[in-house]
């Protein structure tokens, strides 16, 4: 597609992003912030989901076992959304927007509803695509949270650090994703 | 200062994802059904190059090894990866690219975001009842890496100098990126 970098230049740019992040702060990760975003909304409607607690390692605690994990690390980030990891993920949206505006690849109107392989297989109806992608989103984030990271945190950042978990995650993901993609979209 | 870095580094990463075509689900689907390996080549090259440079720069003292953050290995990593793989293949989105695809004006990405927020919420609610199950049985000691180079995390292959091992794997990844055919 026009505006898209070739694998060498694109890979170089991605490598720079992952390397700069770990050089200055810490490895890139995304999927945790879906939990933080849920927590922020939950916290708007509840007085009990996150509480200050000097006894906890982070200074915050939650009755929810997941938000309370690792000394209330997530609970703290829910209480203070202006933290590095959450702002990083919001800034990604701005970066992608800038790229799209400054000569990056631009999807056509029909691509904005469903990508070409989908249209070739299932036609133009938006509703089927939207429902399927919603359910796929549920699986993707549930799976990523069970795994403790996603393509960014486990696969890219993990394998960059030669972390065993990165290789295991990539194995689990591709062992399923490749046959599913072939089955759903066929090879031609 | 860290917020400033979050903005700069986040913009850089989002820019890179869009520019390499990762926010386009057609590229992900075509990679996974093995018809167009453009993204696969970019990913292999990016991991290989960043890994090689990371270990070399740690070795000569430019990057602080204290910045490493190695995630734990447990049974759920593989199973979670497999569950993610189903949605990844069908949607053509992973968490990072699904989010940034919204900046492309992709409407289906908004539905992915909604589903993603629901999936993360479901996990947040069920975690308490699965946290003590076999899903979290550690593999090879949990937070381990292959190469030496960190004081925090144990190395699985301590006999090989860490920089050499990481650079060896990194270069192998870059060679794979180079020899993989673009179209299959």
């Amino acid at each position: 597609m026009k505006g898209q970098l070739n694998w060498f230049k694109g890979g170089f740019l991605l490598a720079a992003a992952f390397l700069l992040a770990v050089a200055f702060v810490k490895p890139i990760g995304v999927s945790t912030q879906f939990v933080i975003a849920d927590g922020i909304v939950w916290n708007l409607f509840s007085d009990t989901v996150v509480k200050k607690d000097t006894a906890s390692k982070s200074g915050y605690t939650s009755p929810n076992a997941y938000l309370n994990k690792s000394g209330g690390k997530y609970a703290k980030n829910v209480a203070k959304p202006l933290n590095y990891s959450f702002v990083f993920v919001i800034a990604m949206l701005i970066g992608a927007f800038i790229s799209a505006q400054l000569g990056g690849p631009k999807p056509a109107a029909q691509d904005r509803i469903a990508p070409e392989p989908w249209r070739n297989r299932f036609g133009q109806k938006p509703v089927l695509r939207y429902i399927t992608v919603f359910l796929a989103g549920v699986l993707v984030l549930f799976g990523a949270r069970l795994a403790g990271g996603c393509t960014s945190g486990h696969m890219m950042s993990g394998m960059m650090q030669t972390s065993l978990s990165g290789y295991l995650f990539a194995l689990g993901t591709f062992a399923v994703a490749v046959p599913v993609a072939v089955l759903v979209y066929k090879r031609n | 200062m860290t917020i400033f870095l979050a903005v700069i580094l986040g913009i850089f990463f989002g820019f890179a994802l869009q520019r390499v075509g990762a926010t386009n689900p057609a590229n992900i689907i075509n990679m996974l059904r093995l018809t167009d390996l453009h993204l696969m080549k970019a990913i292999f090259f990016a991991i290989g190059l960043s890994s090689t440079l990371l270990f070399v720069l740690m070795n000569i003292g430019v990057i602080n090894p204290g910045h490493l953050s190695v995630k734990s290995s447990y049974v759920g990593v593989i199973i979670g990866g497999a569950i993610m793989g189903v949605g990844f293949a069908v949607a053509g989105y992973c968490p990072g690219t699904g989010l940034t695809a919204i900046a492309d004006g992709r409407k289906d990405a908004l539905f992915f975001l909604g589903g993603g927020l629901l999936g993360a919420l479901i996990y947040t609610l069920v975690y308490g009842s699965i946290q003590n199950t076999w899903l979290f049985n550690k593999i090879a000691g949990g937070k381990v890496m292959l190469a030496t180079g960190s004081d925090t995390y144990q190395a699985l292959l301590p006999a090989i100098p860490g920089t050499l091992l990481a650079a060896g794997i990194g270069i192998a990844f870059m060679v794979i990126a180079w020899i993989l055919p673009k179209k299959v």
Side-chain angles (χ1 to χ4, degrees), chain A residues 38 99 102 112 162 185 187, chain B residues 18-19 34 90 117 146:
Chain A
D38 283 333
S99 171
L102 297 181
R112 290 172 203 237
T162 73
Y185 293 102
R187 295 257 300 141
Chain B
Q18 208 276 344
R19 207 39 82 100
L34 309 173
V90 173
L117 288 169
L146 301 187

Side-chain angles (χ1 to χ4, degrees), chain A residues 23-132:
Chain A
F24 284 106
V25 189
K26 62 175 186 176
I28 289 176
V30 175
S31 68
T32 307
Q33 304 318 312
F34 281 74
V35 175
I36 304 302
D38 283 333
I40 290 168
V41 177
W42 192 355
N43 196 24
L44 288 177
F45 297 99
S46 160
D47 296 330
T48 53
V49 63
V50 170
K51 277 186 179 162
K52 278 194 178 165
D53 182 359
T54 45
S56 126
K57 196 177 145 202
S58 68
Y60 289 86
T61 182
S62 170
N64 176 277
Y66 197 52
L67 297 179
N68 203 37
K69 197 167 85 91
S70 312
K73 195 173 59 182
Y74 295 164
K76 183 186 177 186
N77 288 348
V78 166
K80 300 187 163 184
L82 214 62
N83 62 75
Y84 174 84
S85 302
F86 194 69
V87 171
F88 178 93
V89 167
I90 300 302
M92 283 168 62
L93 270 170
I94 303 170
F97 183 77
I98 293 172
S99 171
Q101 298 308 311
L102 297 181
K106 274 223 164 55
Q110 52 182 0
D111 292 326
R112 290 172 203 237
I113 293 164
E116 198 188 352
W118 174 281
R119 297 197 309 270
N120 290 343
R121 187 91 177 89
F122 302 107
Q124 306 272 1
K125 278 188 248 83
V127 179
L128 181 65
R129 171 71 184 166
Y130 293 163
I131 293 172
T132 311

